[in-house]
């Protein structure tokens, strides 16, 4: 019997800075969308909230809703028309969750060598 996708780990990290391909895709989406402009280069907040704290309590469903619908009153745009963000939603969530859990110890990651 094979493991289901639900049994798979959300992300894989080695030595705090090397991540699996999906999570690395999320990091690249983070950079491409320039999320650091509002959330800080280390996800610790700037004009936008500290995602290292928000992702401790935010569910994946809440995360997806926030990304796709935005929080316009608070200055968070909706990213639903951005294919880079939308195609890397799972990786983006994994990357930020890893940062909030302290498993990904630095903001700038690399992909685990194949």
């Amino acid at each position: 019997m094979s493991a289901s996708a639900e049994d798979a780990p959300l992300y894989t990290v080695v030595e705090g800075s090397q991540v699996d391909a999906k999570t690395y895709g999320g990091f690249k989406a983070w950079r491409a969308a320039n999320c650091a402009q509002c959330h800080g280069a280390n996800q610790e907040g700037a004009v936008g909230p500290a995602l290292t704290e928000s992702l401790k309590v935010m569910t994946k469903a809440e995360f997806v809703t926030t990304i796709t619908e935005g929080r316009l009153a608070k200055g968070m745009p909706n990213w639903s028309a951005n294919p880079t963000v939308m195609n890397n939603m799972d990786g983006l969530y994994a990357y930020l969750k890893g940062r909030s859990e302290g498993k990904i110890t630095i903001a700038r990651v690399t992909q685990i060598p194949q």
Side-chain angles (χ1 to χ4, degrees):
M1 187 165 146
S2 66
S4 72
E6 290 179 12
D7 295 332
L10 183 59
Y11 55 84
T12 301
V13 60
V14 176
E15 297 178 2
S17 65
Q18 295 180 1
V19 297
D20 61 277
K22 175 189 75 182
T23 304
Y24 186 65
F27 163 72
K28 291 192 326 187
W30 163 271
R31 301 266 305 174
N34 197 20
C35 301
Q37 180 178 0
C38 294
H39 295 287
N42 295 310
Q43 299 84 36
E44 294 171 347
V47 244
L51 298 179
T52 52
E53 294 303 315
S54 298
L55 269 285
K56 290 180 193 296
V57 296
M58 183 181 277
T59 67
K60 185 172 182 186
E62 291 168 331
F63 176 81
V64 170
T65 298
T66 300
I67 299 299
T68 57
E69 296 178 10
R71 291 186 178 166
L72 300 179
K74 293 183 176 189
M76 172 69 177
N78 125 25
W79 292 95
S80 61
N82 183 306
T84 301
V85 171
M86 296 310 293
N87 293 336
N88 289 286
M89 183 73 71
D90 289 343
L92 183 57
Y93 179 75
Y95 169 68
L96 294 171
K97 193 70 171 168
R99 290 286 293 139
S100 77
E101 292 175 346
K103 305 291 186 196
I104 299 173
T105 57
I106 62 172
R108 189 177 196 98
V109 296
T110 58
Q111 187 172 336
I112 297 169
Q114 301 297 328

